[in-house]
Amino acid sequence: MRPAPRWVWPHRLVHITAGPVPRRDIQGRLDSLSSLRYWAHSEKEESASVQRTVGNQTSSVLRGMRSSTMYYITVRAYNTAGTGPPGATVNVTTKKPPPSQPPAKVMWNTSNSKIIVNWEQVKALENESEVTGYKVLYKTNRHSRPDVMETNTTSVELSLPTDEEYIIQIKPFGEGGEGSSSRQITIPRIAGPNALGSASKVSTLSALSTIALSFTARTSL
């Protein structure tokens, strides 16, 4: 049983697709799909980590990968008769991590039933991925699920009633994933037509490099 993997890579995710295992190559029942072996370029294959799928799952996620690191990955099909030979080894390099600095100098003001939020541009360090945009998360209270607006600029206009209290956070994102978030900003209920405020403190959210793998193996038993 020799799966033939191929891979595509959107953003930080590596999707591995293995072609069908030919029925003539199968001995016994194909109870489970695959065994994954992966190791960093600086390591030997003998030290590879192993991860298996459960049942007939066709995808797996490898977590805790080092950023900006080349990995080798092989896939083996297995069943009650044992483990088959490995498919072709593929290599992929994880992306640089997202920016570690959160948005700073967040300012807001209200005007004509609009909430306008501005912040300072986040500059990535040399070993971090560039910022391609920002997510603005806003909600009306601490127990509701936030709405999200994306922008590639450093300001947004939210057409929201100003007679509600809002909680807002800004988070940069890029090829390496989502970066550190600003501190939650509370915009109080405004009685008049105009108001302004700011928030200078920030909080940091950690981010782990992740490789996601998906593959298929279909056969008629």
Side-chain angles (χ1 to χ4, degrees), residues 97-114:
S100 58
Q101 297 298 315
K105 297 183 179 179
V106 181
M107 306 285 293
W108 61 267
N109 64 79
T110 63
S111 177
N112 299 324
S113 298
K114 290 183 179 181

Side-chain angles (χ1 to χ4, degrees), residues 6-217:
R6 63 183 178 84
W7 60 276
V8 294
W9 189 12
H11 302 295
R12 291 192 302 163
L13 305 181
V14 179
H15 293 273
I16 302 292
T17 301
V21 178
R23 182 66 183 88
R24 64 179 181 275
D25 293 343
I26 297 176
Q27 297 178 11
R29 180 179 176 82
L30 189 62
D31 294 321
S32 297
L33 179 63
S34 65
S35 172
L36 309 174
R37 291 172 57 84
Y38 58 98
W39 63 98
H41 177 68
S42 59
E43 302 171 343
K44 294 183 179 181
E45 184 176 357
E46 291 75 17
S47 64
S49 300
V50 178
Q51 182 168 304
R52 289 192 172 190
T53 59
V54 178
N56 286 324
Q57 289 185 4
T58 59
S59 64
S60 184
V61 178
L62 305 179
R63 301 183 184 279
M65 316 301 286
R66 297 197 296 270
S67 60
S68 302
T69 302
M70 178 185 289
Y71 284 89
Y72 298 102
I73 304 170
T74 63
V75 182
R76 294 172 182 252
Y78 68 92
N79 63 5
T80 55
T83 302
T89 300
V90 297
N91 65 78
V92 63
T93 301
T94 54
K95 299 292 185 181
K96 292 181 179 181
S100 58
Q101 297 298 315
K105 297 183 179 179
V106 181
M107 306 285 293
W108 61 267
N109 64 79
T110 63
S111 177
N112 299 324
S113 298
K114 290 183 179 181
I115 298 176
I116 304 169
V117 185
N118 300 272
W119 59 91
E120 195 173 67
Q121 181 179 357
V122 174
K123 295 182 179 179
L125 302 178
E126 185 178 351
N127 63 337
E128 297 174 341
S129 59
E130 292 296 326
V131 176
T132 58
Y134 299 88
K135 291 184 178 182
V136 179
L137 296 81
Y138 59 96
K139 59 183 181 179
T140 56
N141 59 66
R142 297 182 185 277
H143 304 290
S144 65
R145 178 174 297 181
D147 292 310
V148 180
M149 173 182 286
E150 292 189 7
T151 178
N152 57 7
T153 66
T154 56
S155 67
V156 294
E157 288 189 4
L158 303 174
S159 297
L160 300 170
T162 56
D163 58 351
E164 292 276 358
E165 181 177 275
Y166 295 98
I167 300 171
I168 295 179
Q169 280 184 293
I170 294 89
K171 183 184 299 186
F173 66 86
E175 197 174 49
E178 295 183 354
S180 300
S181 173
S182 69
R183 185 182 180 182
Q184 286 188 342
I185 305 159
T186 300
I187 299 178
R189 181 183 293 109
I190 306 301
N194 299 290
L196 57 86
S198 65
S200 57
K201 295 183 179 180
V202 295
S203 63
T204 301
L205 302 178
S206 62
L208 294 176
S209 296
T210 300
I211 289 181
L213 305 166
S214 66
F215 34 87
T216 59

